[in-house]
Amino acid sequence: MEKFNGQVLFLNKADINTDEIIPAKYLTEISKQGIGSHLLEDLELEHFSAPKDIIGKAAIITRSNFGCGSSREHAPWALAANGINLVIAESYARIFRRNIFNCGMLAIELSKEEIDYIFNKYRFLKTDVKADTASMEIILTENQKKEKFAFSISDFDKALVKTGGWVNFAESHY
Amino acid sequence: MGKTITEKIFDKHIVDNPSDNIQVISLDGVFCHEITTPPAILDLMERGKDRVFDASKIKVVIDHVTPAKDSKTAMQGKILREWVRRHQISDFFDIGQNGVCHALFPEKGFVRPGFTIIMGDSHTCTYGAFGAFAAGVGTTDLEVGILKGVCAFRMPETIKINITGQLPAGVFAKDVILSIIGRLGVNGATNKVIEFDGPLIKAMSMEARMTLCNMAIEAGATCGICNPDMTTIDYLWKFIKDEFINKKAALKAFSALNSDPNAVFATIIEHDITSLTPQVTFGFKPDQIKAVSQMADTPIDQVYIGSCTNGRIEDLRVAADVLKGRRIHKNVRAIVSPATTEIFKEALDEGLIKIFLSAGFCVTNPTCGACLGMSNGVLAEGEVCAATTNRNFNGRMGKGGMVHLMSPATAAASALTGRITNSELFHTFVKIKE
């Protein structure tokens, strides 16, 4: 199972779509690693500039309906190619969320209030996050101060994270 | 307690219930194109599992960039062609017989009421027009579909939209679905199925129903779905005539799937379109909708008529009707891409292609290209496109370009004036002038 910890990239916008995560013109690339350098290239957002703000990040915290639009799994692959395997948001588009777990990555939902709180408190601070699928909590760390938030994912999603994704799971079950 | 059509389809296909409300269902169709399938094929090969669960249930097309525009897209086609040959997949549509997947596969009879279908393409929800449960998936879901013939879903609840009223002049299925997305929002149907019902649906052709279901994903829906009726049977009859004594028997069999009168819906929305006017998007999200009249002074650089939403024969007829005997505005370039080879032929036979060419349109081969900014009509920075497609995301048709979504009639009228234009007003204006 992968580890889910590292520095947070805050994307303060709802409805970030998969065209913004990885533009279609790069879908001609067959290798999953090859698209990484174009992650979030078309995202227009205050206080964010790609690729400079992506370097060294391991997780994204964002608003609602993250990953809407196209079904392209190139979106999670582009995240993974940059070392990002954890997303925390108010909600996700269905296909994107499925793709994340299918790749053995982790997509966590927190309430609107919690996401608002986290943005207000941490968005301009160097913040680290750790997600623990055993205790079902995430721990935010800023300047050595820690804060915990509980989350829940289904046993199925947990099993996908544990086995490394849907292909492995399906191979052993069907 | 009654059941919805989606619940009945799930009941017939359940394989496993791994946790909570997650259901693994068997698949009647796994559809593939050259963008999202090659990484699945390569991964299967790497795992030493280059197999297919049932070659007869896998349907394949090259449609996104066709003909190939460079070495990379040529390689995507090559990987798909070699895979199809290796596994003797007979339903493969290469250039010359191909078309935009969601127009092509229904036309070939591959979509039937009650089917479960996945494809590595978000607009797979189009097939719900036939009373199928069809959902867009990512490459890993597709890969497992190819290998095992199953897919996992959170059992979706259904939002029923009861559409009443008659379409006013100049208003089409595209305007109806834009008005519904505007009402629900881009997140309004996430993890749900939208069941389109009501008198307007019953009066609609299969083409119009496909336009509606196609854009269900733009409200976040897993699938759009219509209950099968005689219009469905008429469309499918040439493919199913050996399976039933007559159309009435087919209708009886398929309508058993229809949502029960006492089925439980998450929400029931009444949507009256009696006073609906032509609609157009204005921002970078498909729920940002205005009346065409509010956007009427917006200059445009390009018009694009085509895509899995609005590249079917009815769409071309409507557009040609507006364009007949006229020329596009001097500041506009216009492209029409019939969605399949069969549609292209039909348009030729009906004289529509001549109308487009005489009006100054470029007629391209069937392809998805321009809709997602991959080929055949990419915008430059700062350019504006009046498009019959389904997504107006920032940079969708080219970095820095703006896309306004609209019906084929509105797009054709806009091509003539160089500004976003209501086709009916245009007609009226010309009639008065004449």
Side-chain angles (χ1 to χ4, degrees), chain B residues 277-425:
Chain B
T277 61
Q279 305 284 296
V280 59
T281 60
F282 64 88
F284 292 129
K285 293 198 288 177
D287 61 352
Q288 294 176 301
I289 308 291
K290 281 184 179 174
V292 164
S293 58
Q294 293 172 279
M295 295 285 287
D297 287 328
T298 312
I300 53 169
D301 301 293
Q302 176 171 296
V303 170
Y304 181 74
I305 298 176
S307 84
C308 56
T309 316
N310 279 126
R312 297 185 182 82
I313 191 68
E314 279 189 2
D315 302 315
L316 303 191
R317 283 182 196 137
V318 164
D321 187 48
V322 175
L323 295 169
K324 194 171 185 176
R326 305 190 172 103
R327 288 282 302 179
I328 62 170
H329 191 270
K330 63 181 170 48
N331 294 344
V332 170
R333 57 184 191 271
I335 300 165
V336 58
S337 177
T340 69
T341 306
E342 284 310 311
I343 294 167
F344 202 138
K345 282 190 211 159
E346 248 180 297
L348 260 178
D349 290 346
E350 294 182 20
L352 308 181
I353 298 299
K354 198 169 177 192
I355 294 172
F356 283 112
L357 291 172
S358 303
F361 268 68
C362 163
V363 182
T364 81
N365 63 303
T367 173
C368 312
C371 169
L372 71 167
M374 290 194 88
S375 63
N376 287 41
V378 179
L379 300 178
E381 200 159 344
E383 287 191 325
V384 178
C385 186
T388 67
T389 57
N390 41 51
R391 288 202 174 120
N392 55 340
F393 296 160
N394 191 7
R396 173 79 177 175
M397 290 182 79
K399 195 176 174 74
M402 168 60 102
V403 180
H404 295 289
L405 306 177
M406 60 188 73
S407 75
T410 308
S414 305
L416 295 174
T417 63
R419 289 164 188 279
I420 292 175
T421 302
N422 183 332
S423 66
E424 274 310 296
L425 288 176

Side-chain angles (χ1 to χ4, degrees), chain A:
Chain A
M1 190 170 80
E2 295 197 43
K3 296 256 179 286
F4 302 97
N5 62 302
Q7 198 184 336
V8 177
L9 169 64
F10 290 96
L11 298 176
N12 190 20
K13 189 183 170 193
D15 303 319
I16 292 175
N17 62 60
T18 50
D19 275 76
E20 289 171 309
I21 298 171
I22 183 77
K25 63 185 170 203
Y26 302 118
L27 304 187
T28 60
E29 189 61 59
I30 295 159
S31 102
K32 294 178 183 180
Q33 284 294 322
I35 51 175
S37 57
H38 304 291
L39 177 65
L40 295 166
E41 188 177 280
D42 278 357
L43 179 65
E44 287 177 16
L45 182 60
E46 218 187 341
H47 309 297
F48 172 76
S49 125
K52 146 176 106 58
D53 292 332
I54 297 167
I55 296 163
K57 304 298 193 309
I60 284 174
I61 299 185
T62 186
R63 301 279 183 178
S64 62
N65 200 29
F66 187 66
C68 60
S70 157
S71 63
R72 65 191 68 159
E73 201 162 305
H74 305 70
W77 297 339
L79 293 173
N82 283 278
I84 297 171
N85 64 357
L86 166 64
V87 188
I88 300 167
E90 192 187 321
S91 63
Y92 301 90
R94 178 191 64 86
I95 304 172
F96 177 83
R97 187 183 183 283
R98 192 78 263 133
N99 287 345
I100 284 275
F101 283 100
N102 281 348
C103 293
M105 296 159 68
L106 188 54
I108 290 171
E109 280 119 355
L110 293 180
S111 70
K112 184 179 185 312
E113 291 69 30
E114 286 168 318
I115 292 288
D116 283 344
Y117 171 83
I118 290 170
F119 267 95
N120 285 337
K121 186 167 171 184
Y122 293 101
R123 62 186 273 220
F124 295 119
L125 305 174
K126 185 174 177 294
T127 307
D128 279 1
V129 65
K130 182 172 187 235
D132 187 337
T133 50
S135 65
M136 297 284 247
E137 31 177 47
I138 60 166
I139 303 160
L140 291 181
T141 309
E142 186 274 312
N143 198 17
Q144 296 178 339
K145 294 192 293 284
K146 292 184 190 303
E147 191 164 11
K148 287 184 183 179
F149 299 84
F151 69 89
S152 73
I153 54 172
S154 70
D155 291 343
F156 176 62
D157 288 340
K158 220 189 262 187
L160 293 183
V161 172
K162 203 173 167 186
T163 54
W166 175 227
V167 179
N168 292 348
F169 183 95
E171 267 296 282
S172 57
H173 286 74
Y174 309 112

